[in-house]
Amino acid sequence: MQRDPTAPRIVVTGLGTINAHGVGVEKLWEGVLSGKSGIRKIESFDVSELTSKVGAEIHEFEVSDFMDSKEARRNDRFTHLAVASSRLAVQDAALDLESVDPERFGVYVGSGIGGLQTIHDQTARLIERGPRKVSPFMIPSLIGNIASGVVAIELGAKGPNFGIVSACSSATHSIGEAFNALKNKQADVMIAGGSEAAVCQLGYAGFCSMKAMSTKFNDTPEEASRPFEKNRDGFVMGEGAGVLILETLEHAQARGAEIYCELAAYDASCDAFHITSPDPEGKALSKSFKAVVEKAGLSASGVDYINAHGTSTPYNDKFETLAIKDAFGESAKDLLISSTKSMTGHLLGAAGGIESAICAKVIQEGKVPPTINLRESDPDCDLNYVPNTAVQADVKVAICNNSGFGGHNAVLLFKALEA
């Protein structure tokens, strides 16, 4: 497929992340490149009656560094993280907000769950103190679109704006739809990604009841997330946000921006199979892999690296491997694949945000982070998942893919910028 010469090219100029490794993309990059796990025993709430007792919590974040304290009190933690990551991304992009046309400046920041801690806290208040004591800020602070709205208010972005909710694909869809908005000339600059703060008692209670979370490694939490490994037993939840600054190439060059890479293609599909289980044949995901390769004008052998969804659940990792094999054929064995969820935990609706940021850093730095805790091979997962130690590699093309409850798939293709 030939590139449309009239369509703008879209580039990544800024990265903002907050997660268990710390505040800022360099903390994330340093952590995943060194193979360091951010997963520990849960400290922020009582896990004594829960089957899973580990997670990737954030410990060094101060919302007052990024938001007015009064505004912060009116919002849920997932919005705090979204605003902070957006400010970090703007700073990283050296984007002068005074020089950006506000009506050509948009925000798509998604969340899979939204203000779950607010729901937990206000429900408890309702039961304990009655309906008159429920906060008037409860509804606006819990709805999933509010992170995009508050980011826009904080930064003065009056262009396209909404919050995508597609479970663990939310951030990836948000980045992809921001890409489309730029391609369609609706904006010059977009803030895009996801935020999630579901590491709370209610979130854990729900996922533990589903038997979706790891329970066998409560005494060795750093080993709990083990994507593609034979002894994996469920995902480990993380919290945080990941945001990219996307611009048209023309806009970025006009302001002399430093460019990480080009976002060359996006595709979305649905398994239409089951509310929680992925399609055992992985056909829809395979179709999306093939689509982004074709849209970018590449062949299967032209892809170097995949930051896989790799949740450490028995089904996902097996079926994702099948989808990769189906899409890439003989070239699948030559791919470098890693799941950085082995170190960050699974950030649900924010996962694609930080994993896209990692893809941009991989292309920039020529280094591929590992999948840690790969001790014993699973015969169903037999590709190169970069086990345990980072590798040097000249990565020109990287893919980020995520899948979510409901069968949602989203795939992004990033490439080194060429003339």
Side-chain angles (χ1 to χ4, degrees):
M1 179 181 291
Q2 295 297 313
R3 176 187 290 150
D4 179 356
T6 66
R9 294 169 66 184
I10 313 307
V11 294
V12 179
T13 58
L15 308 173
T17 68
I18 301 172
N19 64 99
H21 285 110
V23 175
V25 72
E26 292 306 325
K27 292 282 185 71
L28 168 66
W29 183 241
E30 178 185 344
V32 298
L33 206 61
S34 64
K36 177 184 176 183
S37 174
I39 298 167
R40 303 287 183 270
K41 291 185 178 180
I42 290 291
E43 298 177 5
S44 61
F45 57 90
D46 181 10
V47 295
S48 60
E49 296 185 33
L50 297 168
T51 54
S52 181
K53 305 178 189 299
V54 301
E57 294 179 293
I58 299 167
H59 294 288
E60 61 181 65
F61 172 65
E62 294 291 340
V63 66
S64 59
D65 293 338
F66 301 95
M67 289 183 76
D68 174 78
S69 58
K70 181 179 179 181
E71 291 303 315
R73 286 194 298 272
R74 294 175 173 178
N75 285 284
D76 188 87
R77 183 172 171 84
F78 92 101
T79 298
H80 299 166
L81 296 169
V83 170
S85 291
S86 297
R87 290 195 181 278
L88 289 168
V90 167
Q91 180 181 353
D92 186 52
L95 185 64
D96 178 8
L97 298 180
E98 296 297 321
S99 67
V100 177
D101 180 351
E103 294 184 358
R104 304 278 302 166
F105 181 24
V107 183
Y108 292 170
V109 176
S111 181
I113 295 179
L116 193 60
Q117 186 67 58
T118 293
I119 294 172
H120 177 278
D121 293 346
Q122 294 301 316
T123 301
R125 182 177 289 194
L126 171 68
I127 293 169
E128 294 167 5
R129 302 175 63 185
R132 293 181 181 271
K133 296 299 182 180
V134 170
S135 170
F137 297 106
M138 182 192 78
I139 298 300
S141 67
L142 68 85
I143 52 180
N145 68 295
I146 205 67
S148 266
V150 174
V151 168
I153 292 166
E154 292 280 322
L155 301 181
K158 297 182 179 181
N161 187 302
F162 52 78
I164 290 176
V165 178
S166 54
C168 304
S169 297
S170 298
T172 320
H173 278 126
S174 297
I175 295 167
E177 293 303 324
F179 168 82
N180 282 342
L182 291 163
K183 280 282 188 184
N184 293 333
K185 303 181 182 180
Q186 296 173 269
D188 300 319
V189 183
M190 294 291 296
I191 293 175
S195 183
E196 205 78 87
V199 177
C200 65
Q201 196 167 43
L202 182 59
Y204 266 62
F207 279 116
C208 285
S209 292
M210 290 178 64
K211 303 187 186 307
M213 301 181 75
S214 174
T215 60
K216 294 180 180 178
F217 299 91
N218 287 329
D219 294 329
T220 53
E222 296 87 352
E223 300 177 14
S225 184
R226 46 202 315 116
F228 304 108
E229 205 263 355
K230 184 177 181 180
N231 297 300
R232 65 191 185 277
D233 74 317
F235 83 92
V236 177
M237 200 189 305
E239 61 177 347
V243 170
L244 276 58
I245 302 295
L246 302 179
E247 301 182 56
T248 63
L249 177 59
E250 180 182 17
H251 189 275
Q253 289 178 332
R255 69 179 188 87
E258 293 188 18
I259 294 171
Y260 282 98
C261 58
E262 181 175 0
L263 176 52
Y266 158 63
D267 195 72
S269 62
C270 185
D271 292 347
F273 174 74
H274 188 270
I275 58 170
T276 59
S277 178
D279 177 3
E281 295 184 356
K283 291 297 185 183
L285 178 57
S286 172
K287 170 190 157 298
S288 286
F289 280 133
K290 292 175 182 176
V292 293
V293 171
E294 181 183 358
K295 290 175 184 178
L298 300 171
S299 64
S301 61
V303 177
D304 303 305
Y305 169 66
I306 297 177
N307 189 296
H309 191 50
T311 59
S312 189
T313 56
Y315 283 162
N316 176 88
D317 299 0
K318 175 182 177 179
F319 301 154
E320 186 176 5
T321 298
L322 286 174
I324 293 171
K325 288 180 177 180
D326 183 69
F328 292 93
E330 285 299 311
S331 297
K333 66 180 184 301
D334 300 319
L335 286 166
L336 295 170
I337 304 166
S338 61
S339 172
T340 45
K341 289 182 179 71
S342 59
M343 297 167 280
T344 65
H346 187 0
L347 274 66
L348 308 180
I354 67 166
E355 289 158 13
S356 291
I358 289 169
C359 284
K361 291 293 290 183
V362 166
I363 291 171
Q364 181 192 52
E365 301 287 344
K367 298 174 183 177
V368 174
T371 307
I372 68 168
N373 297 319
L374 269 173
R375 304 282 184 256
E376 190 173 351
S377 296
D378 182 340
D380 291 325
C381 302
D382 56 355
L383 297 174
N384 181 4
Y385 307 108
V386 191
N388 303 311
T389 305
V391 298
Q392 296 276 148
D394 183 19
V395 174
K396 299 295 187 187
V397 177
I399 283 176
C400 173
N401 71 277
N402 293 98
S403 300
F405 286 175
H408 307 295
N409 302 302
V411 181
L412 303 167
L413 187 145
F414 301 89
K415 60 186 290 190
L417 183 65
E418 300 171 351

